[in-house]
Amino acid sequence: MKPLDRLVIRRPDDWHVHLRDGAMLEAVLSATARVFARAVVMPNLRPPITTVEAARGYRQRIESLLPENNGFTPLMTAYLTDDLDPGEVERGFFEGVFAAAKLYPANATTNSAAGVSDLVLIAPLLERMEAIKMPLLIHGEVTDPDVDVFDREAVFIERHLIPLRERHPELRIVLEHITTEDAVDYVSDCDELLAATITPHHLHLNRNSMFVGGLKSDFYCLPVVKRECHRRALVKAATSGLPCFFLGTDSAPHPRSGKESACGCAGIFNAMHAIESYAAVFDQEGALDRLEGFASEFGPRFYGLPLNTEKVTLLRQPQIVPHLLNLPEGGIEGLDPGEVPVHFHSGETLAWSLESV
Ligand code: DOR
Ligand code: ZN
């Protein structure tokens, strides 16, 4: 049979992205907004987004950078802390400002120092979220220094997620950017109240990739990429057609000096070619017919939001991914051109291209 060379799917959404703020936001926003209709925007700014007012302000700054009639909707999140008022989170949810709340275990990742130190401390808040059916988005890694960094997700599931779901059986949870077979198995076995997002980079990279020919800081992210058997399990899950697995890029741009440093930041900037990157994986698996469910249907169903009605077209047309994000003519004030983030897949050829609209 002739391979498919044109694929039309419902416009996708990104259920997990870091858009940053200020000049970096200005530089990266269009990479997400050019293809995704909606994106769940992470709140780990400095200071983090912990109030309805802060989220409204951030949303406004995002919207002010979008061209007229772009049709992109940012979905804002609340950053949970030990003492966040459940009333504030609930108000934000009912006023249509917070689509979800994000749980960072304190010090698990970038800008998570103000995160939650003990899940039991926020039990009243979680009960409230459970009652109002507000999704909890979890960075699922333990921070215990005695746990090997490659085991932190699996240990989080055992130590924290299973007991959490016993304490809050009605809570809607997304285990974000899963990286292990353990997470795949756990999520597949659960009910419709638990889902997981999967990033393009965790579908393409295994932990060897970080060390091929030298230390590749551009492939460093959290949770860190794992062994090949885990990557394979993620590919199987993403292409399975199971509605509990859906698209979340975790695109996380950092200035070059932050990545190319003796103590480099975690995060991969994949927004610009994310849908083409996923398409490559689905194509390799002979599962292009399942891309639309993963990218455009299972996420909104989980969040209880309508499906997008517009379409995007992918063409089997090779493209070489440039090294750096292109800035508009004249650059962006406050962003040194030497600090522009590197694209995921930089220098590689991707077999699929997005048809320009
Ligand atoms: O790699 C990551 N980068 N993982 C995270 O959890 C945070 C993100 C960031 O904000 O840079
Ligand atoms: Zn993230």
Short mmCIF file of all heavy atoms in Angstrom, two decimals, residues 147-190:
data_model
loop_
_atom_site.label_atom_id
_atom_site.label_comp_id
_atom_site.label_asym_id
_atom_site.label_seq_id
_atom_site.Cartn_x
_atom_site.Cartn_y
_atom_site.Cartn_z
N VAL A 147 17.18 8.77 46.54
CA VAL A 147 16.61 8.02 45.41
C VAL A 147 17.36 8.41 44.14
O VAL A 147 17.49 9.60 43.83
CB VAL A 147 15.10 8.30 45.27
CG1 VAL A 147 14.53 7.59 44.05
CG2 VAL A 147 14.36 7.89 46.53
N ASP A 148 17.82 7.44 43.42
CA ASP A 148 18.53 7.67 42.16
C ASP A 148 17.66 8.51 41.23
O ASP A 148 16.44 8.29 41.12
CB ASP A 148 18.83 6.30 41.52
CG ASP A 148 19.74 6.42 40.33
OD1 ASP A 148 19.24 6.81 39.24
OD2 ASP A 148 20.93 6.11 40.47
N VAL A 149 18.28 9.45 40.53
CA VAL A 149 17.51 10.38 39.72
C VAL A 149 16.70 9.66 38.62
O VAL A 149 15.62 10.10 38.25
CB VAL A 149 18.47 11.47 39.15
CG1 VAL A 149 19.22 10.99 37.93
CG2 VAL A 149 17.75 12.76 38.85
N PHE A 150 17.19 8.51 38.17
CA PHE A 150 16.46 7.76 37.13
C PHE A 150 15.26 6.97 37.70
O PHE A 150 14.46 6.46 36.95
CB PHE A 150 17.41 6.82 36.39
CG PHE A 150 18.40 7.57 35.54
CD1 PHE A 150 19.66 7.87 36.01
CD2 PHE A 150 18.06 7.98 34.26
CE1 PHE A 150 20.57 8.58 35.24
CE2 PHE A 150 18.96 8.69 33.47
CZ PHE A 150 20.22 9.00 33.96
N ASP A 151 15.20 6.88 39.03
CA ASP A 151 14.10 6.11 39.65
C ASP A 151 13.03 7.01 40.26
O ASP A 151 12.07 6.54 40.85
CB ASP A 151 14.66 5.23 40.79
CG ASP A 151 15.62 4.18 40.28
OD1 ASP A 151 15.48 3.79 39.10
OD2 ASP A 151 16.51 3.77 41.05
N ARG A 152 13.21 8.32 40.13
CA ARG A 152 12.36 9.22 40.92
C ARG A 152 10.89 9.21 40.52
O ARG A 152 10.03 9.47 41.34
CB ARG A 152 12.93 10.65 40.89
CG ARG A 152 14.17 10.69 41.73
CD ARG A 152 14.77 12.04 41.88
NE ARG A 152 15.97 11.89 42.72
CZ ARG A 152 16.77 12.86 43.06
NH1 ARG A 152 16.53 14.09 42.65
NH2 ARG A 152 17.81 12.63 43.83
N GLU A 153 10.61 8.92 39.26
CA GLU A 153 9.21 8.86 38.84
C GLU A 153 8.55 7.58 39.37
O GLU A 153 7.45 7.64 39.94
CB GLU A 153 9.13 8.89 37.30
CG GLU A 153 7.71 8.87 36.78
CD GLU A 153 7.69 9.05 35.25
OE1 GLU A 153 7.78 10.20 34.78
OE2 GLU A 153 7.59 8.03 34.54
N ALA A 154 9.22 6.47 39.19
CA ALA A 154 8.64 5.19 39.65
C ALA A 154 8.42 5.23 41.16
O ALA A 154 7.37 4.77 41.66
CB ALA A 154 9.56 4.03 39.26
N VAL A 155 9.36 5.81 41.88
CA VAL A 155 9.22 5.87 43.35
C VAL A 155 8.09 6.84 43.72
O VAL A 155 7.34 6.59 44.67
CB VAL A 155 10.56 6.28 44.02
CG1 VAL A 155 10.39 6.50 45.50
CG2 VAL A 155 11.62 5.19 43.75
N PHE A 156 7.93 7.91 42.96
CA PHE A 156 6.83 8.85 43.24
C PHE A 156 5.48 8.13 43.14
O PHE A 156 4.59 8.36 43.97
CB PHE A 156 6.86 10.03 42.27
CG PHE A 156 5.79 11.05 42.53
CD1 PHE A 156 6.02 12.12 43.39
CD2 PHE A 156 4.53 10.93 41.94
CE1 PHE A 156 5.01 13.05 43.67
CE2 PHE A 156 3.53 11.85 42.21
CZ PHE A 156 3.76 12.91 43.07
N ILE A 157 5.34 7.30 42.13
CA ILE A 157 4.06 6.61 41.95
C ILE A 157 3.76 5.75 43.19
O ILE A 157 2.67 5.80 43.76
CB ILE A 157 4.08 5.76 40.66
CG1 ILE A 157 4.15 6.69 39.44
CG2 ILE A 157 2.85 4.85 40.57
CD1 ILE A 157 4.43 6.00 38.12
N GLU A 158 4.76 5.00 43.62
CA GLU A 158 4.57 4.11 44.78
C GLU A 158 4.33 4.89 46.06
O GLU A 158 3.40 4.63 46.80
CB GLU A 158 5.83 3.23 44.97
CG GLU A 158 5.99 2.16 43.92
CD GLU A 158 4.83 1.19 43.89
OE1 GLU A 158 4.33 0.81 44.97
OE2 GLU A 158 4.40 0.81 42.76
N ARG A 159 5.23 5.86 46.30
CA ARG A 159 5.19 6.55 47.60
C ARG A 159 4.10 7.60 47.71
O ARG A 159 3.59 7.84 48.78
CB ARG A 159 6.53 7.28 47.84
CG ARG A 159 7.60 6.41 48.39
CD ARG A 159 8.73 7.31 48.91
NE ARG A 159 9.95 6.54 48.97
CZ ARG A 159 11.15 7.08 49.13
NH1 ARG A 159 11.29 8.39 49.23
NH2 ARG A 159 12.22 6.32 49.18
N HIS A 160 3.80 8.25 46.60
CA HIS A 160 2.90 9.41 46.70
C HIS A 160 1.62 9.30 45.88
O HIS A 160 0.56 9.65 46.37
CB HIS A 160 3.64 10.69 46.31
CG HIS A 160 4.80 10.97 47.19
ND1 HIS A 160 4.66 11.31 48.52
CD2 HIS A 160 6.14 10.94 46.95
CE1 HIS A 160 5.86 11.48 49.06
NE2 HIS A 160 6.78 11.25 48.13
N LEU A 161 1.74 8.83 44.63
CA LEU A 161 0.54 8.88 43.78
C LEU A 161 -0.51 7.86 44.20
O LEU A 161 -1.70 8.17 44.28
CB LEU A 161 0.94 8.70 42.31
CG LEU A 161 -0.18 8.86 41.29
CD1 LEU A 161 -0.88 10.21 41.44
CD2 LEU A 161 0.36 8.71 39.86
N ILE A 162 -0.07 6.65 44.49
CA ILE A 162 -1.04 5.62 44.88
C ILE A 162 -1.75 6.03 46.19
O ILE A 162 -2.99 6.06 46.23
CB ILE A 162 -0.37 4.22 44.95
CG1 ILE A 162 0.06 3.82 43.52
CG2 ILE A 162 -1.31 3.18 45.58
CD1 ILE A 162 0.87 2.52 43.43
N PRO A 163 -1.00 6.42 47.22
CA PRO A 163 -1.70 6.88 48.44
C PRO A 163 -2.57 8.11 48.20
O PRO A 163 -3.67 8.21 48.75
CB PRO A 163 -0.57 7.21 49.42
CG PRO A 163 0.64 6.51 48.89
CD PRO A 163 0.45 6.36 47.41
N LEU A 164 -2.12 9.02 47.35
CA LEU A 164 -2.90 10.23 47.06
C LEU A 164 -4.24 9.86 46.44
O LEU A 164 -5.30 10.39 46.81
CB LEU A 164 -2.12 11.14 46.10
CG LEU A 164 -2.87 12.36 45.57
CD1 LEU A 164 -2.89 13.46 46.62
CD2 LEU A 164 -2.22 12.89 44.30
N ARG A 165 -4.23 8.92 45.51
CA ARG A 165 -5.48 8.52 44.85
C ARG A 165 -6.38 7.73 45.80
O ARG A 165 -7.59 7.72 45.64
CB ARG A 165 -5.20 7.72 43.58
CG ARG A 165 -4.45 8.59 42.54
CD ARG A 165 -4.37 7.93 41.19
NE ARG A 165 -5.63 7.98 40.49
CZ ARG A 165 -6.29 6.92 40.06
NH1 ARG A 165 -5.83 5.72 40.25
NH2 ARG A 165 -7.43 7.07 39.43
N GLU A 166 -5.77 7.11 46.82
CA GLU A 166 -6.61 6.45 47.82
C GLU A 166 -7.29 7.49 48.71
O GLU A 166 -8.46 7.37 49.06
CB GLU A 166 -5.77 5.49 48.67
CG GLU A 166 -5.62 4.14 47.98
CD GLU A 166 -4.49 3.30 48.54
OE1 GLU A 166 -3.99 3.63 49.66
OE2 GLU A 166 -4.09 2.33 47.86
N ARG A 167 -6.54 8.54 49.04
CA ARG A 167 -7.11 9.59 49.90
C ARG A 167 -8.13 10.44 49.16
O ARG A 167 -9.05 10.98 49.76
CB ARG A 167 -5.99 10.51 50.42
CG ARG A 167 -5.04 9.86 51.42
CD ARG A 167 -4.23 10.91 52.18
NE ARG A 167 -3.42 11.74 51.30
CZ ARG A 167 -2.18 11.45 50.89
NH1 ARG A 167 -1.60 10.33 51.29
NH2 ARG A 167 -1.51 12.27 50.10
N HIS A 168 -7.92 10.59 47.84
CA HIS A 168 -8.80 11.48 47.04
C HIS A 168 -9.27 10.71 45.80
O HIS A 168 -8.84 11.00 44.68
CB HIS A 168 -8.04 12.73 46.61
CG HIS A 168 -7.46 13.51 47.76
ND1 HIS A 168 -8.21 14.36 48.53
CD2 HIS A 168 -6.22 13.54 48.28
CE1 HIS A 168 -7.45 14.89 49.47
NE2 HIS A 168 -6.23 14.41 49.35
N PRO A 169 -10.16 9.75 46.00
CA PRO A 169 -10.50 8.85 44.88
C PRO A 169 -11.22 9.51 43.72
O PRO A 169 -11.25 8.95 42.63
CB PRO A 169 -11.40 7.78 45.54
CG PRO A 169 -11.86 8.39 46.81
CD PRO A 169 -10.84 9.38 47.25
N GLU A 170 -11.79 10.70 43.93
CA GLU A 170 -12.51 11.37 42.84
C GLU A 170 -11.67 12.44 42.13
O GLU A 170 -12.16 13.11 41.23
CB GLU A 170 -13.79 12.02 43.38
CG GLU A 170 -14.80 11.05 43.97
CD GLU A 170 -15.31 10.06 42.93
OE1 GLU A 170 -15.56 10.48 41.79
OE2 GLU A 170 -15.42 8.87 43.27
N LEU A 171 -10.45 12.62 42.59
CA LEU A 171 -9.61 13.69 42.02
C LEU A 171 -9.21 13.35 40.58
O LEU A 171 -8.78 12.23 40.30
CB LEU A 171 -8.37 13.85 42.90
CG LEU A 171 -7.51 15.09 42.73
CD1 LEU A 171 -8.31 16.38 42.89
CD2 LEU A 171 -6.37 15.07 43.77
N ARG A 172 -9.37 14.33 39.70
CA ARG A 172 -8.94 14.14 38.30
C ARG A 172 -7.47 14.53 38.23
O ARG A 172 -7.10 15.66 38.57
CB ARG A 172 -9.74 15.05 37.37
CG ARG A 172 -11.24 14.88 37.50
CD ARG A 172 -11.98 15.75 36.50
NE ARG A 172 -11.75 15.26 35.14
CZ ARG A 172 -12.34 14.18 34.63
NH1 ARG A 172 -13.17 13.48 35.37
NH2 ARG A 172 -12.08 13.79 33.40
N ILE A 173 -6.64 13.59 37.77
CA ILE A 173 -5.19 13.82 37.82
C ILE A 173 -4.56 13.59 36.45
O ILE A 173 -4.86 12.61 35.76
CB ILE A 173 -4.54 12.85 38.84
CG1 ILE A 173 -5.06 13.14 40.26
CG2 ILE A 173 -3.01 12.93 38.79
CD1 ILE A 173 -4.56 12.17 41.31
N VAL A 174 -3.65 14.49 36.08
CA VAL A 174 -2.78 14.23 34.92
C VAL A 174 -1.36 14.08 35.44
O VAL A 174 -0.81 14.99 36.06
CB VAL A 174 -2.81 15.37 33.88
CG1 VAL A 174 -1.96 14.98 32.66
CG2 VAL A 174 -4.24 15.71 33.46
N LEU A 175 -0.80 12.92 35.22
CA LEU A 175 0.61 12.70 35.53
C LEU A 175 1.37 13.23 34.32
O LEU A 175 1.24 12.71 33.22
CB LEU A 175 0.86 11.21 35.75
CG LEU A 175 2.23 10.81 36.27
CD1 LEU A 175 2.56 11.50 37.59
CD2 LEU A 175 2.30 9.29 36.46
N GLU A 176 2.11 14.33 34.54
CA GLU A 176 2.68 15.05 33.41
C GLU A 176 3.97 14.41 32.91
O GLU A 176 4.72 13.81 33.68
CB GLU A 176 2.94 16.50 33.79
CG GLU A 176 1.68 17.27 34.19
CD GLU A 176 0.76 17.59 33.01
OE1 GLU A 176 1.21 17.50 31.86
OE2 GLU A 176 -0.42 17.91 33.25
N HIS A 177 4.22 14.60 31.63
CA HIS A 177 5.47 14.19 30.98
C HIS A 177 6.05 12.88 31.52
O HIS A 177 7.15 12.84 32.04
CB HIS A 177 6.52 15.30 31.03
CG HIS A 177 6.63 16.04 32.34
ND1 HIS A 177 6.83 15.41 33.54
CD2 HIS A 177 6.57 17.36 32.61
CE1 HIS A 177 6.88 16.32 34.49
NE2 HIS A 177 6.73 17.51 33.96
N ILE A 178 5.27 11.81 31.35
CA ILE A 178 5.73 10.52 31.90
C ILE A 178 6.95 10.02 31.12
O ILE A 178 7.10 10.29 29.92
CB ILE A 178 4.62 9.46 31.95
CG1 ILE A 178 4.01 9.21 30.56
CG2 ILE A 178 3.56 9.84 32.97
CD1 ILE A 178 3.12 7.97 30.54
N THR A 179 7.78 9.26 31.82
CA THR A 179 9.07 8.86 31.23
C THR A 179 9.38 7.39 31.40
O THR A 179 10.46 6.96 30.97
CB THR A 179 10.22 9.65 31.89
OG1 THR A 179 10.21 9.36 33.29
CG2 THR A 179 10.08 11.14 31.71
N THR A 180 8.51 6.65 32.05
CA THR A 180 8.87 5.26 32.37
C THR A 180 7.76 4.27 32.02
O THR A 180 6.58 4.63 31.96
CB THR A 180 9.13 5.09 33.89
OG1 THR A 180 7.95 5.52 34.58
CG2 THR A 180 10.34 5.86 34.36
N GLU A 181 8.19 3.02 31.88
CA GLU A 181 7.24 1.93 31.68
C GLU A 181 6.36 1.79 32.93
O GLU A 181 5.18 1.45 32.83
CB GLU A 181 8.05 0.64 31.46
CG GLU A 181 7.22 -0.51 31.03
CD GLU A 181 8.06 -1.69 30.56
OE1 GLU A 181 9.30 -1.70 30.78
OE2 GLU A 181 7.47 -2.61 29.97
N ASP A 182 6.93 2.09 34.08
CA ASP A 182 6.16 2.01 35.33
C ASP A 182 4.95 2.95 35.26
O ASP A 182 3.84 2.59 35.63
CB ASP A 182 7.03 2.43 36.53
CG ASP A 182 8.38 1.74 36.53
OD1 ASP A 182 9.20 2.03 35.61
OD2 ASP A 182 8.63 0.91 37.40
N ALA A 183 5.20 4.18 34.78
CA ALA A 183 4.10 5.15 34.68
C ALA A 183 3.09 4.71 33.63
O ALA A 183 1.88 4.79 33.84
CB ALA A 183 4.65 6.54 34.34
N VAL A 184 3.59 4.21 32.51
CA VAL A 184 2.68 3.73 31.46
C VAL A 184 1.77 2.64 32.02
O VAL A 184 0.55 2.68 31.85
CB VAL A 184 3.48 3.20 30.24
CG1 VAL A 184 2.59 2.40 29.29
CG2 VAL A 184 4.17 4.34 29.51
N ASP A 185 2.38 1.68 32.71
CA ASP A 185 1.58 0.56 33.23
C ASP A 185 0.57 1.05 34.25
O ASP A 185 -0.60 0.66 34.24
CB ASP A 185 2.50 -0.49 33.88
CG ASP A 185 3.30 -1.23 32.83
OD1 ASP A 185 2.96 -1.11 31.63
OD2 ASP A 185 4.28 -1.91 33.20
N TYR A 186 1.02 1.92 35.13
CA TYR A 186 0.13 2.40 36.19
C TYR A 186 -1.06 3.17 35.60
O TYR A 186 -2.21 2.91 35.94
CB TYR A 186 0.90 3.27 37.19
CG TYR A 186 0.01 3.77 38.31
CD1 TYR A 186 -0.58 2.87 39.20
CD2 TYR A 186 -0.31 5.12 38.43
CE1 TYR A 186 -1.45 3.31 40.19
CE2 TYR A 186 -1.16 5.56 39.42
CZ TYR A 186 -1.73 4.65 40.30
OH TYR A 186 -2.59 5.09 41.27
N VAL A 187 -0.77 4.08 34.69
CA VAL A 187 -1.84 4.90 34.12
C VAL A 187 -2.80 4.04 33.28
O VAL A 187 -4.01 4.19 33.35
CB VAL A 187 -1.27 6.08 33.29
CG1 VAL A 187 -2.36 6.86 32.57
CG2 VAL A 187 -0.46 7.02 34.19
N SER A 188 -2.23 3.10 32.50
CA SER A 188 -3.10 2.25 31.66
C SER A 188 -4.08 1.43 32.51
O SER A 188 -5.19 1.17 32.08
CB SER A 188 -2.31 1.23 30.84
OG SER A 188 -1.19 1.77 30.28
N ASP A 189 -3.63 1.04 33.71
CA ASP A 189 -4.47 0.18 34.56
C ASP A 189 -5.54 0.95 35.32
O ASP A 189 -6.39 0.33 35.96
CB ASP A 189 -3.59 -0.53 35.61
CG ASP A 189 -2.82 -1.67 34.98
OD1 ASP A 189 -3.13 -2.00 33.82
OD2 ASP A 189 -1.91 -2.20 35.65
N CYS A 190 -5.46 2.28 35.32
CA CYS A 190 -6.38 3.04 36.18
C CYS A 190 -7.66 3.42 35.44
O CYS A 190 -7.84 3.08 34.28
CB CYS A 190 -5.68 4.28 36.70
SG CYS A 190 -4.46 3.84 37.95
#
